């Protein structure tokens, strides 16, 4: 039965049958954010793309001053670095990037152990992340998740050499309340099964509070305080 670092169980002892185990990615399974290193690594591999970053100050100002939401900011940043790039070119980097995450031990051992605990129990493993489908589904496959839900990007299929990334979002940014909608969808896919959710930030709490059990791990002091007030256990995964 899964436990947090303080020994508190995350699933009721009386439960029989499988659970749906929903894991956040950045800061929960990994030690840190994955999107910024992904984009920075692409820039290092393709130095000519640096000249396109003149768009970023305007995007940051729109976010800080004009109230642009995080999804719009994410789309602008991704578009500035990768907009117009071919799918084949991006795929090569995505495959290399995910391989580097594993090779350089970017995943928390305790988090991977929890994934294996759920797998051994016959639970359904779900990776739910606000990070983009440029690489998150690859991480899901690498770690053996049954499903991956993440922010999806739009592609232009009109080019002769295959699809090219537009930089726009195809789905809402899967963060905050959008994760709650994803969790509701998952309940429809796994009818009658209880859900346990793991996350690391205050933005994860809305969907965690809708789960049957939840554990906030590796949270900031503010996130831990908010979780405690909301009745969500906290712990640390190293």
């Amino acid at each position: 039965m899964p436990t947090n670092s303080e020994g508190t169980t995350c699933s009721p002892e009386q439960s029989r049958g499988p659970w749906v185990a929903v894991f956040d990615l950045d800061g929960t399974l990994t030690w840190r954010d994955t999107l910024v290193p992904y984009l920075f690594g692409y820039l290092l591999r393709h130095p000519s793309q640096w000249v396109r970053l003149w768009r970023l100050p305007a995007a940051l100002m729109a976010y800080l001053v004009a109230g642009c939401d995080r999804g719009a900011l994410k789309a602008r940043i991704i578009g500035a670095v990768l907009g117009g790039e071919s799918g084949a070119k991006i795929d090569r980097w995505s495959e290399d990037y995910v391989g580097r995450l594993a090779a350089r031990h970017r995943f928390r051992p305790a988090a991977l152990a929890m994934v294996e605990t759920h797998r051994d129990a016959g639970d359904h493993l779900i990776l739910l992340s606000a990070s983009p489908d440029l690489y998150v589904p690859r991480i899901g496959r690498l770690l053996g998740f049954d499903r991956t839900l993440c922010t999806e990007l739009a592609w232009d299929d009109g080019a002769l050499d295959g699809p090219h990334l537009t930089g726009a979002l195809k789905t809402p940014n899967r963060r905050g309340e959008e994760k709650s909608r994803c969790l509701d969808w998952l309940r429809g896919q796994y009818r009658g099964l209880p859900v346990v959710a793991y996350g690391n930030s205050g933005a994860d709490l809305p969907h965690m509070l809708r789960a049957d059990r939840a554990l906030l791990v590796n949270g900031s002091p503010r996130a831990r305080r908010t979780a405690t007030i909301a009745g969500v256990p906290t712990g640390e995964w190293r």
Side-chain angles (χ1 to χ4, degrees):
M1 186 183 309
T3 63
N4 69 10
S5 64
E6 298 168 345
T8 304
T9 60
C10 295
S11 57
E13 293 187 14
Q14 67 270 25
S15 173
R16 295 183 179 180
W19 280 62
V20 180
V22 180
F23 288 80
D24 170 57
L25 176 62
D26 293 354
T28 301
L29 293 177
T30 66
W31 290 99
R32 55 186 61 85
D33 172 76
T34 56
L35 179 57
V36 171
Y38 175 87
L39 296 174
F40 186 69
Y42 191 87
L43 289 170
L44 290 178
R45 176 172 284 201
H46 305 283
S48 62
Q49 297 296 102
W50 284 98
V51 299
R52 303 176 59 182
L53 299 189
W54 61 268
R55 308 176 189 182
L56 292 186
L60 292 172
M61 287 298 294
Y63 174 71
L64 295 172
V65 178
C68 165
D69 66 28
R70 283 178 176 264
L73 176 63
K74 179 180 292 183
R76 291 187 182 187
I77 292 174
I78 292 173
V81 177
L82 298 173
E85 294 291 271
S86 72
K89 192 174 179 181
I90 292 173
D91 282 347
R92 286 193 294 271
W93 166 236
S94 297
E95 184 174 357
D96 188 21
Y97 176 71
V98 173
R100 293 181 184 210
L101 287 179
R104 296 179 182 180
H105 308 291
R106 300 303 193 215
F107 298 104
R108 295 176 184 265
L112 297 183
M114 184 63 78
V115 171
E116 291 306 312
T117 297
H118 280 289
R119 194 192 321 279
D120 291 344
D123 297 335
H124 302 281
L125 297 172
I126 311 297
L127 182 58
L128 176 57
S129 175
S131 289
D133 60 354
L134 296 168
Y135 57 86
V136 175
R138 281 182 168 82
I139 292 175
R141 291 192 294 271
L142 173 71
L143 300 182
F145 278 81
D146 301 311
R147 288 181 186 264
T148 297
L149 299 176
C150 61
T151 303
E152 298 178 20
L153 303 179
W155 295 80
D156 179 2
D157 295 324
L160 293 176
D161 61 343
H164 286 242
L165 191 71
T166 69
L169 300 188
K170 180 180 177 181
T171 66
N173 185 34
R174 286 182 165 154
R175 182 181 186 274
E177 289 298 337
E178 180 60 24
K179 281 191 173 182
S180 296
R181 287 186 279 273
C182 290
L183 189 141
D184 290 343
W185 180 84
L186 286 167
R187 285 196 184 276
Q189 302 300 303
Y190 300 96
R191 292 188 181 278
L193 297 186
V195 176
V196 56
Y198 302 99
N200 77 303
S201 73
D204 290 323
L205 287 174
H207 81 275
M208 293 171 69
L209 288 169
R210 297 171 74 94
D212 298 282
R213 288 293 177 101
L215 177 66
L216 183 100
V217 295
N218 318 320
S220 67
R222 181 177 180 181
R224 290 197 299 270
R225 286 194 299 270
T226 304
T228 299
I229 292 170
V232 175
T234 63
E236 293 291 328
W237 286 351
R238 298 297 182 187

